[in-house]
Amino acid sequence: MAAPKISIYSLSDLKNNTDDALPNYLTSLKFKQSHFLTDVRLALGYSAVVIAGVTFYADHKLGWDATKYWTLWAVVAYFILNGALTYWIWGVEKGKIFSGEINDTLSTLGLRLAKKHSKVSLASSVSKHKPIYNLQVRYEKQGTEPQTLKISAPFTKWFDSDGCFVATPFQQWLASEIPIIGEADPKKAASSTANKESKEHKAHEAAVSDARANPLQNAASSSSSARSRKAKRAP
């Protein structure tokens, strides 16, 4: 099945599709996603809806005089829950799209010794009118201090000109930039590093080739630079 196409001019579509792809990749690497943040958000939202629904039903069945006291407290509770929900989304989640952990089994000579517990959370963002995907990463390996880093890349790195998402370059970018993901997927990390080295090597070869192809131009440029330096030193 062909990959779905989106508008490459819609930052929200680009971000949302990328956000959806990130958890799928990490869970395929045996990262266990925590749904605690989502569960709390849903609980707050649904609680407010239930209070509103029960209040409406009671008012419809019993009338205003019988329910006005309870309606007052229901309205107060509704606004408290909505305030808590707003704070949770903007103050706690802060754009987090993945929070989870991974257990790596340490072994030597074919013997399993212990499990290495690591945690990671990622929050994404975009700036207005800038097609750049920003990730704020926080990860912690067992027995070490938490580490934070910020990485960014243009959406064109993993979206083609038709608006189709291409998973491989996106996964290579994550594996090469985030150590804890690179350890879980060393092949993607290595292939990304190899691609960078190949591009640098090609650029160096192109520069050398241009220098060899235009020796007279390079000589004239060097001569002009030398005359310019002499003129500056002259009294």
Side-chain angles (χ1 to χ4, degrees):
M1 185 176 68
K5 297 180 180 180
I6 64 170
S7 172
I8 58 175
Y9 302 105
S10 172
L11 282 181
S12 61
D13 287 346
L14 293 171
K15 180 182 181 298
N16 291 337
N17 275 264
T18 304
D19 287 348
D20 292 341
L22 193 149
N24 294 335
Y25 171 52
L26 295 186
T27 52
S28 72
L29 299 177
K30 304 296 178 64
F31 281 88
K32 184 179 179 181
Q33 186 172 7
S34 170
H35 298 284
F36 174 73
L37 296 175
T38 304
D39 292 342
V40 172
R41 171 159 43 95
L42 292 176
L44 291 172
Y46 282 126
S47 296
V49 171
V50 169
I51 288 175
V54 170
T55 303
F56 174 80
Y57 179 81
D59 179 64
H60 178 71
K61 288 293 185 181
L62 303 176
W64 167 251
D65 291 334
T67 60
K68 59 183 179 181
Y69 175 78
W70 298 106
T71 298
L72 171 63
W73 288 107
V75 170
V76 172
Y78 178 84
F79 279 103
I80 289 176
L81 286 172
N82 270 279
L85 177 61
T86 301
Y87 171 76
W88 188 262
I89 292 173
W90 297 103
V92 179
E93 291 188 354
K94 296 180 179 179
K96 286 187 178 67
I97 55 174
F98 184 88
S99 179
E101 58 187 30
I102 188 172
N103 291 321
D104 295 328
T105 301
L106 301 178
S107 61
T108 182
L109 299 177
L111 300 176
R112 292 185 177 183
L113 300 179
K115 284 188 175 181
K116 183 180 175 184
H117 186 72
S118 303
K119 297 179 180 180
V120 62
S121 65
L122 301 98
S124 67
S125 64
V126 293
S127 300
K128 194 174 182 180
H129 305 312
K130 290 184 179 181
I132 303 295
Y133 189 65
N134 304 301
L135 271 182
Q136 184 168 349
V137 186
R138 186 180 189 275
Y139 64 94
E140 179 182 358
K141 297 180 181 179
Q142 186 173 354
T144 64
E145 293 293 324
Q147 303 289 326
T148 59
L149 59 92
K150 294 181 180 180
I151 59 175
S152 59
F155 285 107
T156 52
K157 194 176 184 72
W158 50 82
F159 280 97
D160 62 20
S161 58
D162 294 324
C164 294
F165 178 82
V166 185
T168 299
F170 176 64
Q171 295 170 357
Q172 289 177 343
W173 175 64
L174 291 174
S176 62
E177 296 291 340
I178 305 174
I180 193 173
I181 298 178
E183 292 175 4
D185 194 359
K187 290 184 179 179
K188 289 286 193 330
S191 61
S192 178
T193 302
N195 289 339
K196 288 181 181 178
E197 292 177 351
S198 177
K199 289 180 180 179
E200 291 175 356
H201 180 67
K202 288 180 179 179
H204 175 70
E205 286 187 338
V208 173
S209 177
D210 289 342
R212 291 175 178 174
N214 301 292
L216 295 178
Q217 181 179 352
N218 292 333
S221 177
S222 299
S223 177
S224 176
S225 298
R227 287 196 299 270
S228 177
R229 288 194 296 271
K230 288 180 179 179
K232 288 181 180 180
R233 288 196 297 266

